[in-house]
Each structure stands twice: as structure tokens, then as C-alpha cells.
Amino acid sequence: GSVQPGLIGISGSSAGMASSPSGNSNFDSGLEIKTRSVEQTLIPLVSQITTLINHKDKPKKSERTQAAIHRVGQAVSVAVGRFVTVGEAIATENQELKDEMGQACFEARRAGDAIAQLTDVGPALPFQSDGLVTVFSDRTGMVKAARLLLSSVTKVLVLADRIVIKQIITSRNKVLVTLEHLERVSTFQEFVQIFSQFGNEMVEFAHLTGDRQNDLKDEKKKARMAAARAVLEKCTMMLLTASKTCLRHPDCESARINKDAVFHRMRCALEQVIEIVTEARSCGENKILPASIYNGIKDFKFSVECLRENLNSSSPQSMGSQLEALVERTEDFTDSAYTSHEQRQAILSLCQLARQDTQQLVHAWAEAQSVHAKEATEDMEVAILKTCHSVSDLRRELHKVAVIRASDLLKVHGEQLPLRALKAAGAEGKLEAVAEYSRTLTEQKEQLVETCRLLCHVSGNEPLEITCIHAEETFHVIGPQIMSAAQTLALHPSSKIAKENLEVFCEAWESQLCDMALLLREINDVFEGRRGDKRSYLSLPRPGVSITISILMNIPEQTSMAKLGLELRLLSSDVDTEVEKWEEQEHDIVRQSQSLVLSEEGLQLCSSLRTFSTQVYTDAINLSLSLEHTQFKAGYQITMYSHKTHFQMFCTLSTL
């Protein structure tokens, strides 16, 4: 009853295929499977059906084999029955899917019943003279039932997957509405209240998108999702401090610019997530990645090597044009002011060598055409090898230049000298010094942006290219944000909120440098043929275990800690705000004590001290209660989240 290798295949273009050894029977749902959970849920079903089809090709079976086939058929029927029951319940809860889901469940139940009947071996079947029986006379019926079962079950799974997408869209819409409210607040009290709600909504959105990211089959979509979620994670704290700074200093233009940039970036990231999960055709998924040199060399070598099999597969003109387009892309390296003279000359020499070898190949190809050769001549073979070798040398040189540039920059920027200088100048209120150090940071930003572009050229695969583009965009955006935050601090050097805001943006810059170091290691692993450690896409919270469709799993403890961490950070922010209020009262106390002459001033001082101490005590009690409430609330929400029953139907497939 084992399944033969190669008889089962579930790909991105079809839900599943089970074929008999004769290769005449294919079962294709026609529905594209985009998530691993749906794919993994279908595998047991495909396996069981393949077992049945395999046995169809053996007309005579022992009673033991016959009984085993009967058990398989009955198991499929029972499991499908449970599957359909819960599928129908989901249809009832989601009216927009009721008709489609109902039809798919009906077809699945009908197919399951048909398989049960076809594998039901009754005692009346005649025995052959050799003691064996002939079963499954209706081969066409089994093939039809199997095809219907796979397509209908797949449709149920895909329809249920729409619920996940709907949840993500609903969560995003809630975040957007709250984001608009946050942008319009005018008081600290209102801001604290709305931001607390926003934090909870962002945690929910992080749960849903993290699970979806881990479940995606397409590595490019997974990389784009990771990039968008990284933006949302970092921007959450930026939004907190930038908004607080704007509220504290409402007339400060640099503070407003700083805040507006964060809100804009968050909206773009939210939109990108929705484009990925809904496969919107507006821009996101249809965005063409910048033409990388790595892909250009790969395509060029493919065209060259195709000449071995087919002398007419490519023309000399097309190969020459292909190479020139490739050489043109190397200008990102040779035109850079940061490329040394030696590196530039090495790249130009290798480009010229590739041209010469290609011309030699074209000449050898023309000679082979003139003598009507049916296959590549010896001269052509030599020219093919030399051409491929020269462009490989070019790729190796470009990789070396990009990696050395990135490594050197990471060493220099690891010291964070411009950031330290900006912080110091801002804290001292030195606007001219802030402007000077901002120019230095701008130069570093341009170097990093250009280096990310060079790394994209040599990254080696599309997911890494996407990560390089994300790094480039991040440096490009955060650089000016740091400068506006530093300018705000310089205008208000005694503002703790402005200082905290600058710290948050500097931390985001440093975090992106760490991500760039990891990216550099991965690019080296690809270049050297090592798989390396699989990229761990960071998130808030960072999901350790995906909640897949096939199996509901509890949210890990680290998710609980991440949620608590976010809520505690919000509480600490509230406390910071209150402390500034206390400091304002403290200034009143100092002023009053300095002018303490008359007895009424003494009484007023006593009253202020009593009010201040009472507020400190009250707020400390409230903070303690808030912390306890946060822990209870987070634990309760996480417990309830892990017991959601939207997809219990899919657990039944594990019995197949």
C-alpha cells in the first residue's frame, strides 16, 4: 500500500496530482496553491488516493490486499465526511462564502461516498481458480471520483484561506482608522488613550501577517512581506516618540516633518502587505525588480550554452546586444566615486575581455553556419567555454568589489561617530553643528544607499535582491528623519521627549546596519554555494511557530513576552509624559522656595509639595495596577487567541 516515488506532486500551479504508473490519470484542481499549510494538508489525501489508483493497475489481489484497500477507501470517506461537516459550519458563519463553500462541500461528500462504494468489497464476488479475486472493475469511476475529491477538497481549503486574507484586511483597516485618529490628536491624554488601542491593533496585525508570511510558498512574496513588517515594527516606536515630540512642541516645523514622514511610511507598508496577501495588480507584485548583473550574466551564459544544442537558438546580434546591456549595468560600479582606480580598471578589463571572447564566439558560429554544421564545432566549443569563463570572472570581480565596499562601510559606520556628534550637538542646542554633522550623515547615507544597490547586483537570488532594495530604501528614508529629529532637539535642548525621539531614530539606523551585516553574510553564502542559515524575518512579535491551516498550534511564550514588552513600553511612555508634568511642578516649587519671604509663600510651598507627593504616590499605584492589568490582559488575550476555532475543520485531515 505504499506510494511509489514521483507519483505525487503538489506545485504552485496545481493543487495536486496523483497518477497511475501508466501515466494516464492526472488529478488537477485548477486552483493555485499559495500557502504551505494548504499544500501540506492535501498531501495525505493525495497519498491515499494514489495508493488506490496504484492498486487499480493490478487486476488480481489477495484477500489481505483487498481488505487493506477497503480500509483505505473507508478511511478517506470518513475523514471527508468530518471535513465537510466543519466546512459547512464555516460556510454558515461566513455568508459571503456560503454558496461556493456549500457546493464544494457537496462535491467532496459525493466523491467520498463514491470512493467508499468503489472500495467496498462484498462477499458475493466470485473467487478465481487461483484463489485471487478481481476487484475495481469500474476504473473510470475511480478516476472520476478521485479527481472530483481532490478538486473539491482543494476548493474548500482555498475558500477557507480567504477567511485568513479577510482577517488581515480587517485588521489593517482597523489600524488605518486608528492611525488617522492618532494623526489628528491635540492632547497628551487623547494620544495616550488612542495609542494604547493602536498598540493592541498592531500586535494583532503582527500575529496575522507573521503567520501568513511563514505560510507563503513564494520566497519573493515572503521577502516583500518581511520587509513591510520590518518597517511597521520600527515605525511603531518612531510614531510614538515623533507624535509625542510634536504634541510637546506643536509650533516646531522640524518635529512636524519628522512625524509626517513616519505616518506616510507606515501607510505605504500597510498597503504593501495588503498587495501581497490579495495579489493586487496595482503596483506591488507587478513591480519589476531592477535589472541585476547577476541575472544578466545568468541569462547571457544560458544563451551562449544553448548554441551547443541548437546552432540557430540565438543570433550573433542578439548575443552582442545582451552582453552590451550587461556591460552597461556595470557602470553602477565603474561610475561610483567610491570605487578605487584599481577596481575600476579590473572591471573595465574584464568587460573588454568578455567582448573579445563573444566576438570570437560569433566568428566561430558564422564559420559553423557556412559549412552547414549540425552541431557545435571544436572552435565553437572552445569559444563557448572562454566566453562563459570571462563573464564568470566579471561576476566574481563585481562580487568582490561590492562585498569589500560593504564590509569597509560597516566597519566605519559601526563606530556611529556622526550619530554621536548629532546627539551631542542637539543636546547642547548647537544648530550650526547639527547642520554640519547632518551633511556628514548625508554622505554616509549616500554611500550606504549606493552599496545596497551594488549588493543587489550580485545578491544571487530574487529574495535577497528584495532585501537589498528594502535596505536601500530604509537608509534613504531614516537618514533625513534623524536629521529632522536632531534639529528639533537643538531647538529644544532641554526636552526629554525630543531627546528620546532622536534616540529611537538612531537605534533604527543602527538596527538597519546590523541587518545589512546579516544580508552581506547571506550573499556570500549564495555566491560560495552554501545555503547558510535561513533568514529569520524579524517581526513584532516574532512568531516562533506558524499557525497553519492544517494544524492549530498554541502561540509560543515569546509572543506573549513580545506583547507584554510593547504594552509595558507604552506604559513607560505614559510615565515619561507624567514625569515631565511633575518636572513642571518641580520648577514651580523651586521658584516658590527662592522667593520664600512671607508666610503665605511658605504655605503655598507646603501645598505644592503635598500635591506633588500625592500625585507621585497615586501615579505609582496606578502604574503598578496597570502593569498587573497588562500582564493579565496579555495572558488572557493570548490564551483566547490560541483557542480560536475558525479552522478546526482542517485538523480532521490529519486522520487520513
Side-chain angles (χ1 to χ4, degrees):
S2 62
V3 181
Q4 297 181 12
L7 297 182
I8 300 176
I10 300 180
S11 64
S13 60
S14 65
M17 178 185 296
S19 59
S20 66
S22 61
N24 294 326
S25 302
N26 290 334
F27 309 104
D28 190 340
S29 72
L31 297 170
E32 184 179 359
I33 302 302
K34 302 177 180 66
T35 58
R36 299 186 187 279
S37 55
V38 172
E39 179 180 88
Q40 293 300 313
T41 302
L42 287 171
I43 286 177
L45 182 59
V46 176
S47 175
Q48 299 288 6
I49 291 178
T50 302
T51 299
L52 298 176
I53 299 300
N54 284 349
H55 280 289
K56 281 287 297 171
D57 288 340
K58 299 176 182 179
K60 295 182 180 180
K61 301 171 178 66
S62 66
E63 291 185 43
R64 183 178 178 182
T65 301
Q66 183 177 320
I69 296 171
H70 173 71
R71 286 196 302 272
V72 171
Q74 295 304 307
V76 169
S77 178
V78 171
V80 169
R82 292 199 299 267
F83 178 92
V84 167
T85 299
V86 186
E88 289 168 342
I90 285 183
T92 302
E93 295 175 1
N94 297 271
Q95 290 297 312
E96 70 276 14
L97 300 179
K98 184 175 182 180
D99 293 340
E100 287 183 273
M101 184 73 87
Q103 182 62 29
C105 288
F106 172 78
E107 293 174 353
R109 192 187 295 277
R110 184 160 60 101
D113 292 342
I115 288 176
Q117 292 175 6
L118 289 167
T119 56
D120 186 16
V121 181
L125 284 175
F127 278 82
Q128 302 295 326
S129 58
D130 58 2
L132 299 175
V133 292
T134 301
V135 296
F136 300 140
S137 58
D138 187 5
R139 175 181 178 82
T140 303
M142 175 60 75
V143 171
K144 182 178 179 181
R147 181 183 291 114
L148 178 62
L149 180 60
L150 279 178
S151 62
S152 57
V153 168
T154 302
K155 188 169 185 180
V156 171
L157 290 167
V158 171
L159 287 172
D161 192 55
R162 289 188 196 171
I163 299 172
V164 178
I165 296 172
K166 180 182 175 182
Q167 286 179 326
I168 294 174
I169 294 172
T170 301
S171 179
R172 186 283 306 257
N173 291 342
K174 286 164 57 180
V175 169
L176 274 180
V177 170
T178 309
L179 203 61
E180 291 177 4
H181 291 163
L182 275 176
E183 202 167 13
R184 295 195 301 265
V185 298
S186 56
T187 66
F188 268 102
Q189 184 177 4
E190 184 184 9
F191 173 77
V192 168
Q193 180 181 359
I194 297 177
F195 194 89
S196 177
Q197 176 187 343
F198 175 75
N200 289 332
E201 291 170 354
M202 282 299 297
V203 168
E204 178 190 2
F205 190 69
H207 283 322
L208 295 172
T209 55
D211 293 334
R212 189 66 177 182
Q213 174 187 305
N214 292 340
D215 201 19
L216 287 171
K217 290 176 60 181
D218 190 310
E219 291 298 324
K220 291 187 294 181
K221 291 179 183 177
K222 187 173 289 191
R224 292 184 64 233
M225 179 76 87
R229 294 178 71 241
V231 170
L232 293 173
E233 174 192 347
K234 292 173 182 175
C235 281
T236 297
M237 290 314 302
M238 293 177 187
L239 184 145
L240 171 63
T241 57
S243 297
K244 286 169 57 181
T245 304
C246 223
L247 285 170
R248 178 62 70 191
H249 310 290
D251 298 327
C252 183
E253 180 67 12
S254 57
R256 185 192 60 78
I257 292 173
N258 188 254
K259 186 191 82 167
D260 289 348
V262 177
F263 275 89
H264 175 73
R265 197 163 185 233
M266 286 201 79
R267 288 192 173 96
C268 290
L270 288 166
E271 185 62 28
Q272 180 169 320
V273 169
I274 300 305
E275 285 178 7
I276 295 166
V277 299
T278 62
E279 299 195 315
R281 302 300 177 189
S282 58
C283 57
E285 188 62 29
N286 280 351
K287 266 184 187 172
I288 299 176
L289 291 174
S292 71
I293 294 175
Y294 172 84
N295 287 328
I297 289 176
K298 183 174 68 174
D299 294 342
F300 178 74
K301 288 175 69 175
F302 177 78
S303 298
V304 169
E305 291 172 342
C306 278
L307 291 175
R308 286 195 180 100
E309 308 299 329
N310 183 2
L311 294 182
N312 297 316
S313 63
S314 191
S315 67
Q317 292 80 9
S318 65
M319 279 196 299
S321 300
Q322 220 176 339
L323 179 64
E324 287 308 316
L326 178 61
V327 169
E328 185 177 348
R329 293 175 210 167
T330 65
E331 292 176 0
D332 283 344
F333 290 79
T334 56
D335 290 354
S336 170
Y338 307 108
T339 301
S340 69
H341 176 72
E342 292 76 12
Q343 291 172 334
R344 184 177 293 106
Q345 287 303 116
I347 294 170
L348 293 174
S349 297
L350 287 169
C351 287
Q352 187 58 31
L353 179 60
R355 287 193 183 100
Q356 293 171 2
D357 289 339
T358 302
Q359 286 299 318
Q360 185 62 37
L361 174 58
V362 170
H363 180 70
W365 178 86
E367 285 188 347
Q369 291 287 316
S370 66
V371 298
H372 305 290
K374 300 298 183 183
E375 58 184 22
T377 63
E378 185 177 344
D379 287 346
M380 271 193 66
E381 185 64 34
V382 171
I384 288 172
L385 291 174
K386 287 181 66 178
T387 303
C388 290
H389 184 71
S390 60
V391 292
S392 293
D393 285 347
L394 175 60
R395 182 204 168 196
R396 190 174 295 106
E397 180 64 25
L398 294 172
H399 175 86
K400 183 176 72 173
V401 170
V403 167
I404 290 175
R405 169 85 66 80
S407 299
D408 290 345
L409 276 179
L410 287 172
K411 289 177 184 176
V412 171
H413 298 333
E415 299 176 1
Q416 306 296 341
L417 296 180
L419 296 186
R420 293 179 188 175
L422 272 172
K423 292 177 189 177
E428 295 170 4
K430 298 179 179 177
L431 281 170
E432 291 184 2
V434 166
E436 179 184 346
Y437 293 126
S438 292
R439 286 190 289 271
T440 303
L441 185 63
T442 298
E443 184 179 352
Q444 285 196 352
K445 178 207 72 175
E446 291 172 354
Q447 289 180 6
L448 288 164
V449 165
E450 183 180 279
T451 302
C452 290
R453 196 172 302 132
L454 300 189
L455 288 174
C456 183
H457 272 305
V458 301
S459 58
N461 61 49
E462 288 184 322
L464 286 179
E465 287 179 19
I466 291 169
T467 307
C468 288
I469 293 169
H470 165 67
E472 177 184 339
E473 292 173 348
T474 301
F475 285 124
H476 184 75
V477 171
I478 294 183
Q481 289 178 319
I482 291 174
M483 297 170 205
S484 61
Q487 186 179 6
T488 301
L489 179 58
L491 291 169
H492 307 279
S494 62
S495 172
K496 287 191 174 182
I497 288 180
K499 183 178 181 181
E500 178 193 12
N501 186 49
L502 178 57
E503 284 286 351
V504 166
F505 281 93
C506 289
E507 286 172 7
W509 178 276
E510 294 164 6
S511 173
Q512 190 56 52
L513 286 174
C514 293
D515 289 348
M516 185 175 175
L518 175 60
L519 174 61
L520 183 60
R521 189 187 72 187
E522 292 176 336
I523 291 173
N524 265 327
D525 286 343
V526 171
F527 181 78
E528 295 172 8
R530 299 193 303 265
R531 290 181 61 88
D533 295 331
K534 193 168 183 63
R535 169 169 283 269
S536 178
Y537 298 110
L538 302 180
S539 63
L540 180 61
R542 177 177 176 177
V545 180
S546 170
I547 299 181
T548 63
I549 290 182
S550 57
I551 300 175
L552 276 174
M553 304 184 72
N554 289 333
I555 299 174
E557 185 177 351
Q558 63 195 51
T559 299
S560 172
M561 295 304 296
K563 179 176 174 63
L564 283 173
L566 175 60
E567 296 195 3
L568 291 175
R569 185 70 181 265
L570 300 183
L571 284 171
S572 67
S573 173
D574 300 348
V575 173
D576 289 344
T577 302
E578 292 303 319
V579 167
E580 287 213 2
K581 294 180 184 177
W582 299 344
E583 288 175 346
E584 291 174 357
Q585 295 177 12
E586 188 177 23
H587 294 326
D588 291 339
I589 293 170
V590 172
R591 177 181 53 78
Q592 291 164 5
S593 62
Q594 289 174 342
S595 60
L596 185 59
V597 176
L598 302 176
S599 60
E600 57 262 25
E601 286 288 337
L603 293 173
Q604 190 173 353
L605 171 61
C606 182
S607 175
S608 296
L609 286 171
R610 184 180 295 109
T611 301
F612 176 67
S613 61
T614 301
Q615 185 173 352
V616 170
Y617 177 79
T618 302
D619 284 343
I621 294 296
N622 288 338
L623 175 59
S624 176
L625 293 174
S626 296
L627 290 173
E628 292 178 4
H629 172 71
T630 296
Q631 293 171 348
F632 171 80
K633 179 182 175 185
Y636 175 79
Q637 288 180 342
I638 290 167
T639 301
M640 294 304 295
Y641 188 92
S642 66
H643 287 82
K644 284 185 179 178
T645 57
H646 275 297
F647 302 110
Q648 288 179 343
M649 57 177 291
F650 305 113
C651 298
T652 61
L653 277 183
S654 62
T655 62
L656 283 175

